[in-house]
Amino acid sequence: MNVPFKSLPLKTVAQLRGAGLVGPHAGDLDAVARRYAVGITPEMAALIDPADPRDPIALQFVPDIAELDHRPEERADPIGDAAHSPVEGIVHRYPDRVLLKAVHVCPVYCRFCFRREMVGPEGLGTLAADALDAAIAYIAEHREIWEVILTGGDPLVLSPRRLADILGRLAEIDHVKIVRLHSRVPAVDPARIDAALIAALKGSGKTVYVALHANHPRELTQQARDACARLVDAGIVMVSQTVLLKGINDDVETLSALMRAFVETRIKPYYLHHPDLAPGTAHFRLSVEEGQALVAALRGSISGLCQPVYVLDIPGGHGKAVIASPSIVRTDAGHRVEDFRGGLHDYPPR
């Protein structure tokens, strides 16, 4: 039986045109696709309104000619992974945790991705067996490593068998207590979150977290919420990560709806990332001051359960910095504190 075209992932500009997601005046998107990977799952394609030129789902996944506009401040490795990679597949930036990049393939390819020079069919691919051996050996040799973060690429595109193998090997390392996986899969390909995948995640005996990357409340469909429920009901803790993106979620109403949707889905909002200086992503970036104003407005608008941490990855590999505006400043008499309405109040020095 032939599978309907719309049920297949869209991986080329021609397929995007055939699905009605690219207009006749979009420009030379083939040039964009030659430089950066293209991929949209059927679930995300179904959410796009082709009649809306500013559709927030399309803006995240459909290539744009603006991606060929590269700025001097942009970097191929904007957060400096390479500077902290002692062996292939490992990034050891912070003392007690490492990134394990087992795969550089994703179910969807975000147009703002900070690893866009490394991911995709023409990217770094999946770690070879000997490279994975060396990466696991590095983790075993460094007893200060308490947490291993599987990222890439999207680790949940790996088969349950491959995931079980990696987590099983981590299970043998006593000083590793936490395994965290960063993924878009529960939202963009929720059917992958099945009993076999969950068993693979649970089999290590470690405490497992899944960080769901979503940027707009429409991504949390009922199917996505059901997939997250399967993970949470199995005892897997979920947190969120979101990128603050111009034209997609840079308003209080959208961010509030997204953070509330996370909490309703039993996902604790975690990081709100200021966009990185990845090549060809200037059209997604807003100023730090604009981001700070949005985060301050969230503080007065929604529950404390819904508050993410606004962070910036310092270019060059220097780690994350919390960049929300401080609510308290030192004065000669003690401190001045700003409430959620913008009112100022004095507080003693101790």
Side-chain angles (χ1 to χ4, degrees):
M1 182 175 68
N2 291 329
V3 178
F5 175 77
K6 288 188 177 179
S7 72
L8 299 172
L10 304 174
K11 297 183 178 182
T12 68
V13 173
Q15 289 174 344
L16 294 175
R17 288 198 179 98
L21 300 182
V22 172
H25 306 295
D28 187 5
L29 296 185
D30 289 307
V32 179
R34 285 193 293 271
R35 180 70 187 269
Y36 303 119
V38 173
I40 307 177
T41 59
E43 290 80 3
M44 289 298 101
L47 294 179
I48 295 172
D49 177 3
D52 180 4
R54 303 302 299 168
D55 181 90
I57 309 301
L59 291 176
Q60 292 186 64
F61 303 123
V62 176
D64 190 309
I65 197 69
E67 296 174 54
L68 298 179
D69 175 18
H70 292 177
R71 306 291 177 87
E73 67 271 19
E74 295 174 341
R75 306 177 180 210
D77 181 15
I79 71 169
D81 281 354
H84 298 280
S85 184
V87 298
E88 185 182 358
I90 292 287
V91 178
H92 195 174
R93 194 186 331 265
Y94 299 100
D96 73 337
R97 55 202 182 275
V98 295
L99 304 183
L100 173 56
K101 298 194 288 186
V103 63
H104 287 84
V105 177
C106 300
V108 292
Y109 290 102
C110 305
R111 310 323 304 167
F112 48 87
C113 178
F114 68 93
R115 292 196 179 113
R116 60 195 332 221
E117 300 279 0
M118 310 169 197
V119 299
E122 306 301 321
L124 299 180
T126 301
L127 273 187
D130 57 344
L132 181 60
D133 290 345
I136 297 293
Y138 179 90
I139 295 168
E141 291 163 5
H142 287 260
R143 297 192 58 80
E144 72 275 20
I145 297 173
W146 173 81
E147 180 183 24
V148 175
I149 303 167
L150 272 70
T151 182
D154 192 318
L156 294 189
V157 303
L158 293 170
S159 69
R161 181 193 59 79
R162 185 71 187 273
L163 277 172
D165 174 65
I166 293 172
L167 270 70
R169 296 169 75 175
L170 293 175
E172 298 174 358
I173 304 174
D174 184 63
H175 56 265
V176 172
K177 305 298 184 184
I178 307 293
V179 178
R180 187 187 344 157
L181 301 94
H182 282 237
S183 179
R184 269 191 174 272
V185 164
V188 305
D189 191 6
R192 285 190 70 87
I193 308 300
D194 59 12
L197 186 141
I198 291 171
L201 296 178
K202 293 283 291 179
S204 71
K206 304 293 186 183
T207 299
V208 176
Y209 283 72
V210 170
L212 173 65
H213 177 183
N215 301 312
H216 194 276
R218 277 169 48 195
E219 295 172 55
L220 291 174
T221 62
Q222 189 57 55
Q223 291 77 12
R225 293 177 188 232
D226 291 345
C228 294
R230 292 193 289 275
L231 290 166
V232 176
D233 289 345
I236 295 168
V237 184
M238 293 194 70
V239 296
S240 75
Q241 64 174 38
T242 294
V243 184
L244 186 57
L245 297 165
K246 187 174 182 179
I248 293 171
N249 58 20
D250 60 334
D251 62 88
V252 174
E253 293 76 16
T254 301
L255 274 182
S256 296
L258 176 60
M259 297 303 148
R260 284 173 168 162
F262 283 139
V263 173
E264 292 163 7
T265 311
R266 294 181 286 170
I267 299 170
K268 178 66 182 81
Y270 183 31
Y271 279 145
L272 176 64
H273 293 270
H274 193 77
D276 295 308
L277 298 175
T281 63
H283 54 298
F284 288 112
R285 293 198 292 271
L286 64 167
S287 70
V288 169
E289 291 76 17
E290 289 172 309
Q292 289 174 328
L294 282 168
V295 170
L298 282 184
R299 186 163 55 94
S301 302
I302 55 176
S303 164
L305 289 173
C306 302
Q307 304 293 328
V309 180
Y310 183 34
V311 296
L312 178 150
D313 274 289
I314 304 169
H318 303 289
K320 290 180 176 62
V322 177
I323 59 171
S325 297
S327 298
I328 188 168
V329 295
R330 188 68 188 254
T331 66
D332 292 341
H335 302 90
R336 181 65 56 85
V337 188
E338 182 179 0
D339 67 34
F340 72 92
R341 297 185 182 90
L344 297 176
H345 311 271
D346 291 325
Y347 190 83
R350 63 180 65 187

